Amino acid sequence: MADPLLKIEELETFFPIKSGIFKRTVAHVKAVNNISFDIKEKETFSLVGESGCGKSTLGRSILRILEPTGGKVLFHNKNILNYSSSELRKLRRDVQLVFQDPYSSLNPRMSVRELVSEPLFTHFSISKEEANQQVDEMLEKVGLPLEQAERYPHQFSGGQRQRISIARAFILKPKFVVADEPVSALDVSIQAQILKLLMQLQEEFNMTYLFISHDLNVVKHISDRVGVMYLGKMMEMTDTDSIYEEPLHPYTQALLSAVPKSDPLEEKERVILKGDVPSPANPPSGCPFHKRCPKAMEECTTIEPEFKEVKENHYVACHLY
Amino acid sequence: MSEIISRLKKDKVGLVGVIGVLLVLVMGFIGPLVTPHDPTEMYKSHTLEGPSATHWFGTDDFGRDIFSRVMQGARVSLYVGLISVGIGATLGFLFGLIAGFFQGWVDNVIMRIMDILFAFPDILLALTIVAVLGPSLRNTMVAIGIVFTPVFTRTVRAAVISVKEMEFITSARSIGVKTHKVIFKHVSPNILAPFIVQITLALSGAILTEAALSFLGLGIQPPEPSWGSMLNASRQYMEIAPWIAIFPAIFIIITIFCFNLLGDSLRDILDPKLNQ
Amino acid sequence: MDNVLEIKNLHIDVKKDDSTYNVVKDVNVSIGKQQIYGIVGESGSGKSLTALSIMGLLANPPLHVSKGSIQFEGDRELLDMSFKEMKKIRGKEISMIFQEPMTALDPLFTIQDQLMEALKFHTKLSKSEMKQACIDIIERVGIPRPKEVLKDYPHQLSGGMRQRVMIAIAMLCNPKLLLADEPTTALDVTIQAQILDLMKELREDFETSILMITHDLGVIAETCQRVAVMYAGEVVEESDVVSLFHSPKHPYTKGLLKSMVSGNRHDDLYSIPGKVPSVEQMPSGCRFATRCPHVMDICHTQTPPVQEVEADHTCQCWLYQEELVKNG
């Protein structure tokens, strides 16, 4: 297989917790804690996990929308964390972000045409006519009627707004797109429409996706490989079929068993986890999952398990393996 | 622009505001040219006379024609109001934008200075500035402008901070939009509503502050009239000659009212959410 | 009849710019004792409005019930009750929990204060009895360290814990009916599984009926016995849960089931084309006609009648009407 498009090495994003009058840093929230993985060209890599696990922070750190505090992000074998601000601006042509909330992610005072053409005017000096033509093409691709191009975001439904967001992110034909929960805020019947659109565009533009979601059903459909995160750590990573058919980490198993069944007659074995996700500001010692793990052992409380390949292309951080 | 006008046509209240503001402005420009009497001439035998056919709004304690003085004063009051609020709003907008957008130490420095300015009563601060710069119309406007800067800075800063947290700002940054464009294209248009309301509020305040300064002898120098100084001068005669107070007061109220109406409708017009 | 709640012919209208639009049309729902009854629908389907009208909490104006009846325990007509009478029923005999517990809890009061308030209003217990009741209920909903949690403020708890507190407040007076409006939508899957489990347990222990309102067919499959599918203000299909999942009748239900992104990962994703019509532009015939794959001429002009297509399984669609006509 070809070289990976993106190599993430020991990436860390820590947020300082400040306290006292002098705002001294007393501790860190380790939102992304020493994570490494590759994303291959034209692949869809999905990150799943519950709220607070750091998946969105990881996605934004990779794009340097949040500044990572350590590690490397190699895009085409160049570490973008060393990029100057002008290099970074150029990089923005190739990497884009699609947001979860179709309401707050579009400037309410810009028309659809202004929103979708902004990336073009930001990166190229092109005439209005050329831009308009490209916008029209893009709107057609995402399924928005051209006669609505002069309207403002609030005149659209959630699903249509997400189409506007996608048009805006894709008009530069980026190579790599981080889609941060792009369908979570949408109605069920609309979710599938948007997922289909994303898959179609990926095919057409040969794009690579990092798809972030809390919904395992959605992830199943769109991804080639899946990484499961918990408290800033990668717990398990493998191709999509193995994660659903043969989950190794107890957390992955619990996550899968918690998905509501799709048929009332289905007999489902339930692993109901006790308690809540601990605060990322104060994670447990040893394995971050040990306090909720049904299979926790003595060593889990003290020694942090190593993230290692236990089967071919199947990585797990757990003392069981 | 043509769109704004067509929208304004539909908004009856806003239209009243626009027409009112235009009339007041016309009065400010043309009024002093068409006064029936010289606004500073004293008719010694006609002091404190009520409204009559010769003196429509009556005369003041020096026997000056109040109608003529109101017309003349319109120019000064509007001039001072608009320019000083213009100064305050511009400074406040810039400081607020910078403080709110960049935060950190810049924010701290700007806001502490604003806090200090804010701590003084308006009049006292204006008085000090005029005293330092020397009394004149220009310095009065500068002083009032500075007095109003902290209010605008705070309003703008608060709005910027809330807008900055919106995802569309992150979106603009992730597309690679340059910082100054993010500030002027994405942040600024979304803080207009509170800003415009603040302007209309400040206008009335500015007209009244000018009045107080004039009264203390630091604003417009007598016998040159302004609405505020007329109002202030009327205080001693309030019971025997209320018309001295009533007419300038009515004009101040009408002016402020029209500006408020205009401000309200501008805010709505500039908000795409309220327009289908 | 041993139904706890019977909604008949419920119509809700909304006033907007001097015009009146219909948002809930002819809803009929009967909830049996100890039953978990589901209403499933997308945003704008009128499912939450239906629940709010049971509680007498519709925002009036602009919303109001224009027709229909809601009978509680056979003989009490909720729509005829005064505000005062409703207040006695709310929280005591019928309680409600919401999607976002943070907005439903008062941030300025401790959990104990909020529980005590409900107790003071609805019971005549002594102070120590009330305290014990608080501890008992908090323990019952599976909150560890109840005594400490009672002293906490809502913001100190996680989303899952807050929802448990909401449930505790709702169950405090042992209500006969619990309305749950998207109770797990804001929660993570592992927490959702905990909460759904808890609700099922409580239904048995407290002999309560539950009206579960959700957009998620998975939650319905997980918890409910009967289910009504709502679309654009109408119940388009109503049946027991197994029959609905295994032989759905209405094209909308079929579409919804197919678009549940859960099946085999290599299956094609299905989506219902188009979008829900807005209240101002409601089609005059069948409200689903604009998106229906089986649409016929009659659908555009006339509202289909509600038809019992199988035993205890009703559907509002011309397709089945036609069949009946053909068969004689």
Side-chain angles (χ1 to χ4, degrees):
Chain A
M1 198 163 235
D3 255 3
L5 177 75
L6 206 72
K7 250 175 122 66
I8 287 114
E9 288 176 10
E10 294 169 1
L11 195 71
E12 287 180 344
T13 306
F14 293 173
F15 299 115
I17 305 171
K18 292 184 174 171
S19 167
I21 327 171
F22 298 108
K23 300 266 164 69
R24 261 204 314 222
T25 303
V26 288
H28 284 98
V29 175
K30 299 180 177 178
V32 173
N33 192 356
N34 194 4
I35 283 185
S36 309
F37 64 100
D38 298 345
I39 302 178
K40 297 180 192 77
E41 215 147 339
K42 294 183 210 170
E43 174 180 56
T44 301
F45 186 95
S46 287
L47 282 173
V48 289
E50 296 176 276
S51 46
C53 73
K55 57 190 189 300
S56 281
T57 309
L58 175 56
R60 283 165 196 230
S61 302
I62 292 171
L63 297 185
R64 271 187 79 184
I65 288 168
L66 288 171
E67 280 305 326
T69 42
K72 280 183 193 164
V73 176
L74 302 171
F75 182 70
H76 285 308
N77 285 323
K78 271 186 230 138
N79 186 3
I80 66 165
L81 300 192
N82 297 333
Y83 275 18
S84 69
S85 58
S86 64
E87 283 174 306
L88 194 60
R89 190 163 294 125
K90 247 183 233 154
L91 175 77
R92 299 276 178 237
R93 277 186 222 166
D94 294 330
V95 299
Q96 285 292 330
L97 179 63
V98 176
F99 294 83
Q100 167 176 11
D101 181 357
Y103 291 88
S104 77
S105 59
L106 297 173
N107 186 341
R109 288 178 186 270
M110 287 168 83
S111 68
V112 173
R113 184 172 299 287
E114 287 172 310
L115 284 164
V116 178
S117 61
E118 192 182 29
L120 291 173
F121 289 122
T122 303
H123 290 285
F124 306 104
S125 46
I126 65 170
S127 72
K128 234 183 169 159
E129 289 72 41
E130 281 175 89
N132 279 344
Q133 199 195 327
Q134 289 198 43
V135 170
D136 288 352
E137 265 172 47
M138 197 65 223
L139 290 182
E140 216 162 289
K141 277 196 184 117
V142 299
L144 276 173
L146 288 186
E147 63 270 17
Q148 293 178 358
E150 314 308 325
R151 294 198 189 173
Y152 288 86
H154 68 97
Q155 292 166 297
F156 293 91
S157 66
Q160 283 174 306
R161 281 164 171 251
Q162 205 55 297
R163 288 174 196 270
I164 302 171
S165 280
I166 291 171
R168 182 171 152 88
F170 285 29
I171 194 155
L172 295 172
K173 310 211 164 49
K175 296 195 178 79
F176 175 62
V177 171
V178 174
D180 189 357
E181 305 256 16
V183 299
S184 305
L186 306 176
D187 270 323
V188 193
S189 74
I190 309 295
Q191 285 193 352
Q193 291 180 8
I194 299 296
L195 285 178
K196 263 206 263 189
L197 175 66
L198 284 171
M199 286 154 89
Q200 237 169 18
L201 292 171
Q202 180 175 36
E203 190 83 358
E204 188 173 339
F205 295 140
N206 289 323
M207 262 182 292
T208 308
Y209 284 161
L210 175 64
F211 192 90
I212 298 169
S213 180
H214 70 278
D215 188 335
L216 287 153
N217 285 333
V218 169
V219 165
K220 177 154 71 174
H221 272 277
I222 197 162
S223 6
D224 300 308
R225 279 191 307 146
V226 179
V228 180
M229 281 182 76
Y230 188 79
L231 280 180
K233 286 264 175 198
M234 193 77 92
M235 304 306 263
E236 182 163 3
M237 181 175 81
T238 181
D239 58 274
T240 309
D241 287 329
S242 323
I243 214 111
Y244 287 90
E245 279 148 31
E246 196 193 357
L248 294 180
H249 201 287
Y251 178 61
T252 316
Q253 291 165 0
L255 213 52
L256 282 168
S257 88
V259 175
K261 50 193 178 185
S262 50
D263 180 339
L265 295 180
E266 187 183 324
E267 290 294 328
K268 203 165 172 179
E269 212 183 308
R270 268 286 146 82
V271 190
I272 290 193
L273 291 179
K274 294 267 168 285
D276 278 334
V277 182
S279 154
N282 188 17
S285 62
C287 172
F289 185 58
H290 83 256
K291 287 210 166 135
R292 300 174 78 197
C293 184
K295 297 176 185 164
M297 303 172 291
E298 185 83 37
E299 56 183 323
C300 301
T301 58
T302 49
I303 307 162
E304 196 178 322
E306 196 191 329
F307 188 64
K308 57 182 185 278
E309 189 167 13
V310 293
K311 286 184 185 172
E312 203 191 343
N313 285 323
H314 198 149
Y315 296 79
V316 177
C318 182
H319 288 307
L320 288 173
Y321 305 97
Chain B
M1 196 62 203
S2 62
E3 208 184 329
I4 290 181
I5 292 166
S6 77
R7 280 177 188 173
L8 206 53
K9 276 185 192 149
K10 282 182 222 149
D11 180 4
K12 294 285 173 303
V13 179
L15 206 58
V16 171
V18 173
I19 293 170
V21 167
L22 283 178
L23 284 179
V24 170
L25 289 178
V26 166
M27 190 171 84
F29 279 112
I30 301 177
L33 307 175
V34 297
T35 53
H37 302 274
D38 181 345
T40 53
E41 190 181 343
M42 301 177 197
Y43 298 92
K44 288 276 161 57
S45 53
H46 294 281
T47 56
L48 297 178
E49 264 180 19
S52 66
T54 28
H55 301 291
W56 298 344
F57 290 178
T59 57
D60 66 7
D61 50 328
F62 292 104
R64 292 176 296 205
D65 180 50
I66 292 179
F67 179 72
S68 305
R69 290 180 69 74
V70 166
M71 287 291 143
Q72 178 80 23
R75 176 177 286 183
V76 177
S77 289
L78 285 175
Y79 192 56
V80 172
L82 290 174
I83 302 280
S84 54
V85 169
I87 294 171
T90 311
L91 289 178
F93 192 80
L94 287 175
F95 286 138
L97 212 52
I98 293 168
F101 192 81
F102 294 103
Q103 306 219 294
W105 67 267
V106 196
D107 181 32
N108 265 324
V109 170
I110 292 177
M111 291 324 286
R112 291 303 80 76
I113 293 172
M114 293 305 151
D115 284 347
I116 293 167
L117 291 179
F118 226 17
F120 291 100
D122 286 2
I123 292 296
L124 192 64
L125 180 61
L127 210 61
T128 316
I129 300 168
V130 175
V132 172
L133 298 174
S136 75
L137 187 60
R138 195 193 68 192
N139 291 346
T140 306
M141 294 189 296
V142 172
I144 298 174
I146 293 174
V147 167
F148 280 104
T149 305
V151 191
F152 281 107
T153 309
R154 284 202 174 179
T155 313
V156 170
R157 176 179 174 270
V160 169
I161 288 174
S162 75
V163 168
K164 216 182 88 171
E165 295 306 311
M166 306 285 279
E167 288 269 62
F168 66 80
I169 301 296
T170 314
S171 164
R173 290 207 302 128
S174 75
I175 275 166
V177 180
K178 289 186 176 158
T179 309
H180 65 92
K181 275 210 169 156
V182 173
I183 294 178
F184 289 105
K185 243 178 111 184
H186 294 273
V187 178
S188 307
N190 287 293
I191 57 168
L192 282 182
F195 183 63
I196 289 174
V197 174
Q198 191 65 52
I199 286 182
T200 55
L201 288 176
L203 267 173
S204 42
I207 291 176
L208 295 174
T209 310
E210 182 274 324
L213 283 178
S214 305
F215 179 65
L216 294 167
L218 287 167
I220 313 310
Q221 299 305 306
E224 186 81 356
S226 76
W227 291 344
S229 63
M230 291 172 74
L231 199 58
N232 265 313
S234 73
R235 289 205 295 202
Q236 291 155 281
Y237 309 100
M238 199 75 92
E239 277 165 31
I240 52 168
W243 53 88
I244 309 184
I246 287 170
F247 291 106
I250 286 175
F251 278 87
I252 292 179
I253 291 168
I254 290 174
T255 307
I256 291 165
F257 186 64
C258 291
F259 272 109
N260 281 336
L261 289 183
L262 176 67
D264 274 1
S265 74
L266 264 186
R267 182 194 53 195
D268 293 348
I269 284 165
L270 294 173
D271 189 346
K273 266 184 227 141
L274 297 172
N275 284 287
Q276 295 306 319
Chain C
M1 259 317 235
D2 55 354
N3 282 339
V4 172
L5 192 84
E6 284 206 38
I7 303 178
K8 282 187 190 136
N9 263 319
L10 184 75
H11 287 68
I12 300 175
D13 288 350
V14 65
K15 269 213 169 91
K16 218 172 172 184
D17 306 329
D18 304 326
S19 318
T20 307
Y21 302 102
N22 174 271
V23 283
V24 168
K25 189 177 162 200
D26 201 12
V27 165
N28 292 285
V29 160
S30 308
I31 305 172
K33 271 213 172 89
Q34 282 201 57
Q35 192 173 50
I36 304 190
Y37 190 102
I39 297 184
V40 64
E42 296 176 89
S43 46
S45 63
K47 56 191 193 304
S48 291
L49 294 181
T50 304
L52 288 173
S53 67
I54 299 170
M55 290 293 270
L57 290 175
L58 276 184
N60 182 5
L63 293 157
H64 72 283
V65 174
S66 56
K67 227 190 336 186
S69 96
I70 301 177
Q71 278 187 329
F72 183 54
E73 295 197 299
D75 52 350
R76 287 191 281 169
E77 175 57 54
L78 296 181
L79 291 177
D80 290 343
M81 283 195 184
S82 68
F83 187 73
K84 241 185 168 169
E85 289 171 305
M86 262 331 275
K87 236 177 149 176
K88 280 193 192 130
I89 288 197
R90 246 184 256 145
K92 186 168 189 211
E93 298 185 77
I94 307 178
S95 359
M96 187 159 182
I97 57 176
F98 300 90
Q99 173 174 351
E100 192 20 88
M102 195 58 201
T103 51
L105 292 168
D106 190 328
L108 296 176
F109 292 93
T110 62
I111 305 304
Q112 175 155 328
D113 292 340
Q114 319 214 14
L115 283 161
M116 295 282 257
E117 196 185 308
L119 280 173
K120 266 185 224 155
F121 189 80
H122 291 297
T123 66
K124 293 191 185 77
L125 297 173
S126 74
K127 199 148 190 199
S128 58
E129 284 172 319
M130 282 201 274
K131 264 196 182 145
Q132 193 51 48
C134 291
I135 296 175
D136 290 347
I137 194 80
I138 285 289
E139 227 168 7
R140 185 63 203 79
V141 296
I143 295 178
R145 305 175 290 115
K147 280 185 186 157
E148 287 145 69
V149 169
L150 278 171
K151 290 189 192 109
D152 281 345
Y153 289 88
H155 70 92
Q156 292 170 290
L157 304 175
S158 67
M161 281 300 157
R162 283 202 285 264
Q163 197 57 282
R164 283 178 196 268
V165 168
M166 273 307 295
I167 293 173
I169 295 175
M171 299 310 291
L172 201 53
C173 298
N174 200 351
K176 306 207 171 67
L177 177 64
L178 175 68
L179 309 178
D181 189 358
E182 305 266 10
T184 57
T185 305
L187 305 174
D188 283 315
V189 269
T190 61
I191 309 297
Q192 164 169 291
Q194 293 174 356
I195 298 288
L196 292 180
D197 234 45
L198 172 69
M199 289 178 71
K200 283 193 272 188
E201 267 174 50
L202 291 176
R203 174 192 58 131
E204 274 168 31
D205 291 7
F206 288 74
E207 298 179 357
T208 302
S209 309
I210 298 176
L211 178 62
M212 178 74 77
I213 289 161
T214 178
H215 69 280
D216 188 344
L217 279 164
V219 171
I220 298 280
E222 202 68 49
T223 55
C224 297
Q225 283 99 48
R226 279 195 84 77
V227 55
V229 180
M230 282 188 80
Y231 180 80
E234 292 181 312
V235 173
V236 295
E237 186 160 2
E238 204 261 1
S239 85
D240 69 282
V241 101
V242 178
S243 170
L244 187 97
F245 277 79
H246 286 270
S247 69
K249 293 291 183 285
H250 198 282
Y252 177 63
T253 314
K254 289 180 184 169
L256 213 53
L257 280 164
K258 265 206 260 178
S259 60
M260 267 178 102
V261 273
S262 61
N264 191 317
R265 101 179 180 90
H266 300 290
D267 282 356
D268 258 356
L269 274 174
Y270 178 81
S271 62
I272 304 173
K275 57 180 200 278
V276 183
S278 67
V279 286
E280 293 96 342
Q281 292 161 346
M282 210 46 92
S284 54
C286 170
R287 292 182 169 183
F288 188 58
T290 50
R291 300 173 74 185
C292 183
H294 307 294
V295 66
M296 301 174 291
D297 289 343
I298 192 169
C299 305
H300 290 298
T301 51
Q302 288 182 52
T303 306
V306 177
Q307 186 69 41
E308 188 159 9
V309 284
E310 275 174 21
D312 255 359
H313 188 151
T314 60
C315 172
Q316 186 179 19
C317 180
W318 281 115
L319 281 176
Y320 301 95
Q321 203 59 29
E322 288 288 281
E323 239 171 56
L324 288 174
V325 174
K326 263 187 248 154
N327 296 343

